Amino acid sequence: MPLTEQRRPAGVPEPLTQRRLRAEAFRRLRRVRPELAAAGGESDLAALLAARARAVERPDADAVQAVAVVRHFDPAAWVRDAAAFALGLAPGTAAAWRRSFTRTVFLAGNPANLLGRYSFDRLAEDGSVGWCGPAPAGSSAGLRRLLKLFQSTAAFPVGPPGTVTVPAPTASRGAPGTHRQAPTSGPGAEPLPRGAAPPRPGPPPRAGVHRDLYVAASGVPVPEALVHLNHLVVEAALDGLITPGDRLTLRSVPSLTGATAPFAALRVDVDRTRPDRLRAFAALTEETPDD
């Protein structure tokens, strides 16, 4: 799908102006921490950023975070596994993570070398990433002391589009691509529930659809792009925009500025090069035809 579509009246997508980006950032804050979404935050960037800072400084008592141990970062594979991880969460855990702004800590390491000492709630099929939690920060303290943060100065790769199909969560254990990959024994292994998450309340499963997933790559190093991409994908999964069987085409573009495609979800944050402005770092479209 092209980033600029000639669609106005009746369902005309609004361009990604600063006004729209502020509205999106305010909507996310209001949904997660409504008590901090003060009047005026939607039009006043300084008020919005101050409210976000308060949310970080004063987390909920039940705040949780996920931990991802990253051996190798492949953007398309990450999209698939991040969605599957979020879709496999129990409803209460998913809600607590949503209230915690889907905070995720990314650590550099080989999950296979940690099996037996630490517990992963999901392991990617190729072993490139292992997920823990979401859980209170103390439950992953040992793992976070052992490993360093995932860091890289490389720019997010720009290349041909890649399409992945979101898998269904599975209850089986003992093989990559499933939940609960290792016993909960050893230092830092938290006694989290085993097995499949109970079915989430809500509408019945729908047929898979195709969506485009854009990432703004210009001037964005891999770790920063990973944060934005992860927030967008897991929140879209938790909100029901991404479900098992969906086909997601990842497209890296220099910038989303001025884009008018019909977006269903946006990842918005402060533009590091212009701190007085917001930037769209990632975007998920409405349902689109397959290429």
Side-chain angles (χ1 to χ4, degrees):
M1 158 173 280
L3 277 177
T4 54
E5 276 212 345
Q6 301 304 316
R7 280 178 69 185
R8 255 321 194 189
V12 179
E14 181 184 352
L16 296 185
T17 61
Q18 285 295 300
R19 177 180 176 180
R20 183 178 178 187
L21 298 184
R22 284 195 303 269
E24 176 62 24
F26 184 77
R27 182 200 64 78
R28 182 172 184 253
L29 176 67
R30 182 175 57 194
R31 171 172 182 165
V32 177
R33 297 289 298 277
E35 75 280 9
L36 297 178
E42 190 168 357
S43 58
D44 185 339
L45 179 59
L48 172 63
L49 297 181
R52 294 204 325 176
R54 289 194 297 273
V56 173
E57 294 166 359
R58 301 201 300 266
D60 278 345
D62 63 349
V64 297
Q65 63 183 30
V67 175
V69 177
V70 184
R71 176 179 60 82
H72 168 70
F73 175 59
D74 175 80
W78 183 276
V79 168
R80 179 191 62 228
D81 287 303
F85 172 68
L87 290 169
L89 298 176
T93 302
W97 196 29
R98 200 67 170 85
R99 289 194 302 271
S100 303
F101 294 95
T102 57
R103 173 173 169 76
T104 305
V105 178
F106 303 97
L107 304 175
N110 186 346
N113 294 339
L114 300 169
L115 296 178
R117 289 193 295 160
Y118 293 93
S119 174
F120 292 106
D121 295 280
R122 181 174 178 84
L123 189 64
E125 290 183 0
D126 61 358
S128 61
V129 59
W131 297 83
C132 303
S139 65
S140 60
L143 185 60
R144 288 183 287 114
R145 282 193 296 267
L146 176 67
L147 302 177
K148 296 180 179 180
L149 291 175
F150 176 73
Q151 296 180 332
S152 173
T153 58
F156 189 84
V158 176
T163 301
V164 297
T165 299
V166 178
T170 175
S172 60
R173 303 195 305 270
T178 64
H179 290 266
R180 302 308 304 172
Q181 298 304 315
T184 52
S185 61
E190 64 275 13
L192 298 175
R194 294 176 179 269
R200 290 192 197 169
R206 58 164 171 76
V209 300
H210 176 261
R211 298 179 189 267
D212 287 314
L213 177 57
Y214 288 95
V215 177
S218 178
V220 184
V222 166
E224 183 180 350
L226 175 56
V227 169
H228 297 307
L229 182 61
N230 189 69
H231 277 301
L232 181 72
V233 170
V234 301
E235 290 175 14
L238 296 178
D239 294 346
L241 292 174
I242 294 175
T243 65
D246 283 355
R247 300 172 307 286
L248 306 176
T249 297
L250 181 65
R251 302 179 185 273
S252 299
V253 295
S255 172
L256 289 164
T257 301
T260 57
F263 293 124
L266 295 168
R267 169 61 184 175
V268 177
D269 206 345
V270 175
D271 187 337
R272 290 185 296 105
T273 63
R274 302 182 65 182
D276 61 333
R277 295 175 64 83
L278 296 175
R279 179 179 180 183
F281 285 90
L284 180 72
T285 69
E286 300 283 0
E287 180 181 349
T288 66
D290 284 295
D291 289 341

